[in-house]
Amino acid sequence: MTPPATPPQHPPERPKASPLGIWLFLAYLAVYAGFVWIAAFSGTRLASRPFGGVNLAIVYGFLLIIAPLILALAYLKWAGKAED
Amino acid sequence: MDHQTSTLAVIVFMTFVGAVLGISFWLGRQAKSAQGFFAAHGQIPWFVNGIAFAGDYLSAASFLGICGMIAFFGYDGFLYSIGYLAGWVVALFVIAEPIKKLGKFTFADALDARFNSRGIKLTAAISTLIVSIFYLIPQMVGAGALIQPLLGLEHWHGVLLVGSIVVVIVITAGMVSTTWVQFIKGSLLVLFCAILTVAILARGLWNDPYSQSHGSQHAFILAKPAAEITAGREVVPAEGAWAGKPYVRLKDEKGVISVWRTGEGGTLSETQTVLTTGGEKLFNGTSKADGGHLWPVGHISKLPGDVDHTGPLGPGEFLQTIQDSTVVLWGKEVIKDGDSEWTVWFQKPTPGAKLMVPGNNPLFKGISGDLPAIDPAKPETQAAYDKALLSRIDFISLMIALFCGTASLPHILIRYYTVKDAASARKSTVVGIAAIGFFYVLTLFLGLGAMTSGTLDLTDTNMSAPLLAKAFGELPFACISAIAFTTVLGTVSGLIMAAAGAIVHDLAVNVAGCKLDDERKVKWAKIAAIAVGALAMWLGILFAKINVTFLVGWAFNIAASANLPALIMLLFWKGTTKQGITWAITVGVLGSLAWVLGSTVAMQNVYGFSAEDAAKHAWVPFSQPAIVTVPLGFITLVVVSLFTRRKDLAQA
């Protein structure tokens, strides 16, 4: 006896991440990847002092920690407006 | 190093723990149902949930491990701060809202929401258990390490104490008490670390912190002419294992042997030693009974402008001053001489500019400087290039694991079910990012403050942050130590909740088909929490000597490899099938687990091989698997989904 046919396994409802969220994620990913690449393959560049004070490693490191908060606040504001 | 137990520290510690347990019992009445126990009724305010994210996430590895690594090796520890925070970008922009909409109690709920597959539930639950256990071990080991100086107890006492308290917290009110404990811990941790940072900046930097701090009163001799040091002492001949080593051993009139490191121009510098011989230990040449001990360390040998003290500094000035100073780090060498084993710590004056870039810790040594050039005429340059390249791939792999792992940690994901809707999930993630990001900025100041305050314990990097607080007095030390202990409590309770949910909700109810009403489900979850707590205590005692930093790294690698491909593809590819998810999790877990257990690091630290033998016996070319196993998870999911989807369509 033939078993009953199984329906395809992709039910209609699939919650999606917001397009703005994805763009912000990709922008951050690019900055993060840039840091990892420089640290891995061009370490001496991190010792340079682009603004005369602290070195690039510190500046870039702080940027990577502070940027998520700035992006997150922008996203929060946009998402709040979108929901209104 | 010996730490004296402080009554004040014990009182503050007991107050913290008593308050935390009191809150748990008070909240216990609110978590009678499964919805209350596993998800705090989904009614936690978003701000509280956001700070609880910080309390959950900022584990012993973040607080004790990162500060310790920065204090001993400089910028390398900050790489972890960057990676741990970056992972929250994935959580906020990609995972937060969808997972809130899909799930109920556990990570498996979200993955399985569209499929109702026992395979997904089973593999997701096993993945949750493995990641949670890998994450639990370092927390328990950290608790044991912390309790030794704080209360003067043995390591295993500390493990049992933290395990017992956490089990009580979890079984009294599940996610309700866990959330509030994490909220309190997250708030206190960030607040006290900020206060400590302000105190460091207000104090400024000294050439001689030893005379200023509440810790050591011992200033170390660095690069003095040999004649000044050897006068009146007998030089012990450099025989056996000491032959050819850059040390001179001197015996004083009492017969105490001190070890001095030779330097340029015939100078000698003071070292610190532990000699183990015939079952006895001598600290700097003297037994503990006769007052032998290691001195606390950590100082700047030369400040810019040749001043002795900078006065108060702004955050940027503080970093720039250290960058322009010379800091004395400590190297370590073990010398086996017959039946005797000497551990020698020696001073390494290091330019601040070198400390403020990656590559000082042995883990990251391979990425310092640029890739070496290959000279076709010299075959050895090819080998050096290959080795350097593998070190860099290992580093990239770690940074991938940290980036991808955060949003895949089960104990973080379940926190999305404690708020009422997707908007609250989003807002609480932003609050979490603000608190966690602020804390990680502080880690650099705390670590560098510890590096230069004359309070470091050479034998225990994890105690750097609490000992830094000691430089400002007993009360700050007591508070920071108690907060560090609640740090462990907060994270461990979240991990035990995640594991208990996986065992009862996923495995017992959804996979094994046990028919449990609400009350029995909560009862079973409490029994599961006790069992997981007992297992964590046993493993914490078993792995007491293991380095905790790479265990956390492994947990991130396994979580990223097992869970992220399934989560991402479920959200972004409509062709994803239940078989695809099941196989992706299976391959991710097994692949990453096999990789880490077959790595050089595991051979050395888990199986006890020497560094040389560990490299020979390793099955894999580098230690961090994420760069291979995360893509492998994605490929597995796509290939299996394509195959099973076609089959389904054909059957239809």
Side-chain angles (χ1 to χ4, degrees), chain B residues 57 107 131 135 404-414 555-556 559-560 563:
Chain B
Y57 191 64
F107 158 66
V131 173
Y135 216 104
C404 299
T406 301
S408 320
L409 291 172
H411 70 291
I412 297 298
L413 293 173
I414 58 170
F556 273 76
N563 301 343

Side-chain angles (χ1 to χ4, degrees), chain B residues 273-349:
Chain B
T273 59
V274 173
L275 166 62
T276 309
T277 180
E280 194 187 11
K281 272 195 173 185
L282 299 180
F283 297 86
N284 284 330
T286 311
S287 69
K288 200 178 266 186
D290 294 330
H293 63 274
L294 295 177
W295 294 102
V297 302
H299 70 281
I300 289 174
S301 62
K302 190 172 182 296
L303 278 167
D306 280 333
V307 295
D308 290 329
H309 179 218
T310 60
L313 294 166
E317 287 175 309
F318 178 83
L319 297 175
Q320 199 179 334
T321 304
I322 291 193
Q323 197 176 256
D324 295 333
S325 300
T326 303
V327 182
V328 175
L329 300 185
W330 288 74
K332 180 182 166 185
E333 186 170 1
V334 177
I335 298 171
K336 288 183 180 167
D337 187 20
D339 294 337
S340 304
E341 183 178 285
W342 292 79
T343 305
V344 182
W345 286 272
F346 56 91
Q347 300 179 72
K348 285 195 309 182

Side-chain angles (χ1 to χ4, degrees), chain B residues 235-593:
Chain B
V235 177
V236 180
E239 293 167 344
W242 290 93
K245 295 278 183 190
Y247 300 103
V248 171
R249 285 179 296 167
L250 301 176
K251 191 188 277 184
D252 67 14
E253 69 278 5
K254 291 179 189 165
V256 174
I257 296 178
S258 56
V259 179
W260 298 77
R261 191 170 171 94
T262 54
E264 285 176 11
T267 57
L268 292 179
S269 297
E270 190 175 355
T271 71
Q272 300 207 69
T273 59
V274 173
L275 166 62
T276 309
T277 180
E280 194 187 11
K281 272 195 173 185
L282 299 180
F283 297 86
N284 284 330
T286 311
S287 69
K288 200 178 266 186
D290 294 330
H293 63 274
L294 295 177
W295 294 102
V297 302
H299 70 281
I300 289 174
S301 62
K302 190 172 182 296
L303 278 167
D306 280 333
V307 295
D308 290 329
H309 179 218
T310 60
L313 294 166
E317 287 175 309
F318 178 83
L319 297 175
Q320 199 179 334
T321 304
I322 291 193
Q323 197 176 256
D324 295 333
S325 300
T326 303
V327 182
V328 175
L329 300 185
W330 288 74
K332 180 182 166 185
E333 186 170 1
V334 177
I335 298 171
K336 288 183 180 167
D337 187 20
D339 294 337
S340 304
E341 183 178 285
W342 292 79
T343 305
V344 182
W345 286 272
F346 56 91
Q347 300 179 72
K348 285 195 309 182
T350 308
K354 185 172 182 287
L355 280 176
M356 299 299 244
V357 290
N360 294 293
N361 182 294
L363 274 176
F364 299 112
K365 205 173 177 184
I367 63 164
S368 63
D370 295 335
L371 263 177
I374 302 172
D375 182 350
K378 296 177 183 169
E380 68 274 14
T381 57
Q382 180 68 50
Y385 178 87
D386 291 345
K387 194 178 170 195
L389 187 62
L390 283 177
S391 298
R392 283 149 218 263
I393 293 173
D394 198 38
F395 166 72
I396 293 172
S397 195
L398 172 68
M399 297 308 276
I400 290 173
L402 299 184
F403 189 70
C404 299
T406 301
S408 320
L409 291 172
H411 70 291
I412 297 298
L413 293 173
I414 58 170
R415 185 141 291 294
Y416 284 114
Y417 305 132
T418 57
V419 289
K420 65 178 180 184
D421 53 23
S424 300
R426 182 172 63 234
K427 287 180 194 168
S428 62
T429 311
V430 175
V431 172
I433 287 176
I436 295 166
F438 181 54
F439 172 81
Y440 282 135
V441 167
L442 299 179
T443 56
L444 189 60
F445 295 95
L446 294 174
L448 293 173
M451 178 189 270
T452 54
S453 290
T455 52
L456 294 177
D457 179 351
L458 282 170
T459 62
D460 188 357
T461 60
N462 290 329
M463 280 304 290
S464 303
L467 289 173
L468 163 68
K470 205 168 192 174
F472 295 94
E474 280 300 320
L475 185 62
F477 172 66
C479 290
I480 285 289
S481 298
I483 289 168
F485 195 79
T486 55
T487 289
V488 179
L489 293 184
T491 304
V492 172
S493 52
L495 287 162
I496 289 182
M497 274 306 301
I503 291 170
V504 177
H505 181 69
D506 297 335
L507 290 178
V509 176
N510 290 332
V511 177
C514 297
K515 302 285 180 205
L516 300 177
D517 60 23
D518 233 29
E519 196 179 328
R520 286 180 68 203
K521 211 170 173 182
V522 172
K523 193 176 171 187
W524 280 44
K526 291 181 177 180
I527 294 169
I530 294 170
V532 174
L535 177 66
M537 288 184 244
W538 178 64
L539 291 171
I541 294 167
L542 194 68
F543 289 101
K545 298 289 176 197
I546 213 160
N547 179 301
V548 299
T549 312
F550 68 76
L551 276 176
V552 175
W554 284 356
F556 273 76
N557 271 289
I558 297 168
S561 308
N563 301 343
L564 194 78
L567 272 171
I568 297 285
M569 296 309 274
L570 179 73
L571 299 176
F572 291 96
W573 188 40
K574 64 180 180 183
T576 302
T577 66
K578 61 183 179 186
Q579 294 91 338
I581 290 180
T582 305
W583 276 102
I585 297 174
T586 307
V587 169
V589 168
L590 294 179
S592 54
L593 202 55

Side-chain angles (χ1 to χ4, degrees), chain A residues 14 32 40 49 57 75 83, chain B residues 75 97 392 399 426 571:
Chain A
R14 193 161 51 92
Y32 182 78
R49 302 187 186 196
Y75 177 63
E83 277 170 0
Chain B
Y75 192 88
E97 293 168 58
R392 283 149 218 263
M399 297 308 276
R426 182 172 63 234
L571 299 176

Side-chain angles (χ1 to χ4, degrees), chain A residues 2-30 32-33 35-49 51-83, chain B residues 75 78-79 81-83 85-87 89-90 92-95 97-99 101-102 114-115 316 319-320 323-324 353 356-358 366-371 389 392-393 395-396 398-400 402-403 422-423 426-427 430 433-434 436-438 440-442 444-445 569-579 644-645 648-649 651-652:
Chain A
T2 313
T6 314
Q9 295 170 350
H10 37 88
E13 280 202 38
R14 193 161 51 92
K16 290 176 183 170
S18 99
L20 177 69
I22 299 302
W23 280 112
L24 292 174
F25 163 73
L26 291 174
Y28 185 83
L29 177 62
Y32 182 78
F35 173 79
V36 173
W37 189 263
I38 292 172
F41 295 107
S42 189
T44 48
R45 198 178 296 178
L46 288 177
S48 65
R49 302 187 186 196
F51 307 108
V54 292
N55 66 21
L56 181 63
I58 303 281
V59 174
Y60 212 149
F62 278 138
L63 173 72
L64 284 169
I65 290 181
I66 293 164
L69 181 61
I70 295 166
L71 296 180
L73 288 171
Y75 177 63
L76 200 60
K77 197 170 178 185
W78 172 85
K81 275 186 187 167
E83 277 170 0
Chain B
Y75 192 88
F78 197 53
L79 288 170
S81 297
I82 293 167
L85 196 272
V89 171
V90 186
L92 173 64
F93 295 135
V94 185
I95 302 291
E97 293 168 58
I99 203 160
K101 288 174 186 162
L102 281 172
R114 298 171 55 227
F115 299 113
L319 297 175
Q320 199 179 334
Q323 197 176 256
D324 295 333
M356 299 299 244
V357 290
I367 63 164
S368 63
D370 295 335
L371 263 177
L389 187 62
R392 283 149 218 263
I393 293 173
F395 166 72
I396 293 172
L398 172 68
M399 297 308 276
I400 290 173
L402 299 184
F403 189 70
R426 182 172 63 234
K427 287 180 194 168
V430 175
I433 287 176
I436 295 166
F438 181 54
Y440 282 135
V441 167
L442 299 179
L444 189 60
F445 295 95
M569 296 309 274
L570 179 73
L571 299 176
F572 291 96
W573 188 40
K574 64 180 180 183
T576 302
T577 66
K578 61 183 179 186
Q579 294 91 338
T644 50
R645 198 169 166 225
D648 290 338
L649 290 170
Q651 281 176 350

